[in-house]
Amino acid sequence: MGNRLTQIATRTGDDGSTGLSDGSRVTKSHLRVQAMGDVDELNSHLGVLLAEPLPGDVRELLVTIQHELFNLGGELSWPGGHLLKDTAVLRLDDALAHYNEHLPRLKEFILPAGTRSAAIAHVCRTVARRAERTVIMLAASEPINAAPRQYLNRLSDLLFVLARVLNRANLDGLGGDDVYWQSERMKRLDAYDADNTG
């Protein structure tokens, strides 16, 4: 991991392969590369979220998460390596407990909507779940440490909670509360459609 980027366009990947941190090369369609790409995409979406108005404590937490995701991606690029600390997972557990403590209990499913920052947090949540699934698929064929899978699982949960926090923070004036799935409304619409399609 001591190598640093000195040249971005190396052309070595023109044949459809890419280099891992241990010096080996794999096809760009390899599950390990897909997992690295999903984590990179997640981190990029977090960068978009960080461009929004956020409470200071949430911003600080997300910046830390970006660094930890970089460690996670680095670990995925280094077969047999270990970069993501177990304390990173514990940090997410603490954040989950802290932010969830102040939220009302959910009585209905919520939609990925509300303020712009909350909606982006939901996008990050879904990408985190995809990254977790890819890591699980990779672990079915190659040895993978438990921490990356656990971290992505916990992060997805945390992002759901943070989306609720951001809706209540309402820093853009478009939120204020969760956006609830109106199941009864949907039942009425379905009944109306059934009555008017026969």
Side-chain angles (χ1 to χ4, degrees), residues 34-65:
Q34 289 185 41
M36 291 159 48
D38 286 344
V39 170
D40 187 29
E41 182 182 349
L42 170 58
N43 216 344
S44 298
H45 281 296
L46 285 174
V48 175
L49 179 53
L50 281 163
E52 295 292 316
L54 299 171
D57 57 328
V58 174
R59 180 175 301 281
E60 184 177 345
L61 173 62
L62 291 176
V63 168
T64 299
I65 289 170

Side-chain angles (χ1 to χ4, degrees), residues 13-85:
D14 287 352
D15 63 354
S17 69
T18 190
L20 300 178
S21 296
D22 64 355
S24 63
R25 296 193 70 79
V26 295
T27 175
K28 290 182 180 180
S29 62
H30 192 284
L31 267 177
R32 184 175 292 277
V33 179
Q34 289 185 41
M36 291 159 48
D38 286 344
V39 170
D40 187 29
E41 182 182 349
L42 170 58
N43 216 344
S44 298
H45 281 296
L46 285 174
V48 175
L49 179 53
L50 281 163
E52 295 292 316
L54 299 171
D57 57 328
V58 174
R59 180 175 301 281
E60 184 177 345
L61 173 62
L62 291 176
V63 168
T64 299
I65 289 170
Q66 277 204 307
H67 286 278
E68 289 171 341
L69 282 175
F70 215 86
N71 287 337
L72 196 161
E75 181 168 324
L76 291 173
S77 77
W78 181 20
H82 186 85
L83 292 175
L84 185 69
K85 308 283 189 209

